[in-house]
Amino acid sequence: MASLGDNSISPLDDLPLSDLRNIWFQHDGSSPHKVSSVQQYIRDTFQQQVIGYGGCVEWPPRSPDLNPLDFFMWEYIKQRVYATPPPTLQELKNRITDTCASVSPAMLYNVQREVQSRVEMCIVAEAHHFEHDR
């Protein structure tokens, strides 16, 4: 498995190949992700399973209403991690790890259904801005 540097270890390195085959990378178009070494890592790791910038599946750039990380995950993590200020860096890391581990399959299923709903609204709006009233 490729890494981003000599001392870099990817969280994907520990996944069995059979699991890795089911993972898609959704490229958000962020400038740091466009660096050639990062692009090479993405191609080596995800091959044809890239959504968005440089991928085989196109995705509207800067579309937070269609990105589960933007409309669900970051808010979910921030609400739990910062319910009270973490007293130490280690406590911050622990809270982030615990919060990510608390995301259940049922939650992910609901997020997937929400993506479908949002994509349908985007199609109806012909990819123009649309109000999301949920």
Side-chain angles (χ1 to χ4, degrees):
M1 178 82 49
S3 293
L4 290 178
D6 294 336
N7 298 325
S8 226
I9 298 174
S10 167
L12 301 175
D13 288 344
D14 294 332
L15 284 177
L17 186 56
S18 59
D19 288 346
L20 189 58
R21 288 185 180 135
N22 294 320
I23 295 176
W24 284 70
F25 180 83
Q26 183 175 350
H27 200 303
D28 61 5
S30 173
S31 296
H33 300 157
K34 294 180 180 180
V35 174
S36 61
S37 60
V38 174
Q39 283 294 295
Q40 188 61 51
Y41 174 81
I42 292 169
R43 280 191 299 276
D44 291 347
T45 304
F46 299 99
Q47 298 172 12
Q48 297 300 311
Q49 293 176 209
V50 178
I51 301 168
Y53 179 84
C56 62
V57 177
E58 292 186 30
W59 196 259
R62 295 175 188 81
S63 53
D65 287 335
L66 301 177
N67 185 338
L69 294 177
D70 289 332
F71 76 75
F72 167 72
M73 186 59 101
W74 302 142
E75 189 62 29
Y76 177 80
I77 290 172
K78 286 190 290 186
Q79 285 177 353
R80 281 146 188 83
V81 169
Y82 293 108
T84 59
T88 66
L89 178 59
Q90 187 57 51
E91 178 60 20
L92 174 63
K93 290 177 182 180
N94 292 343
R95 288 183 190 185
I96 292 170
T97 301
D98 292 346
T99 301
C100 290
S102 76
V103 176
S104 69
M107 291 168 71
L108 294 176
Y109 176 77
N110 288 333
V111 170
Q112 183 258 338
R113 290 183 57 214
E114 181 68 18
V115 169
Q116 288 175 330
S117 171
R118 290 169 182 243
V119 167
E120 288 169 6
M121 283 187 273
C122 184
I123 291 168
V124 168
E126 296 180 345
H128 296 289
H129 290 283
F130 60 92
E131 292 294 322
H132 185 69
D133 296 327
R134 290 190 185 209

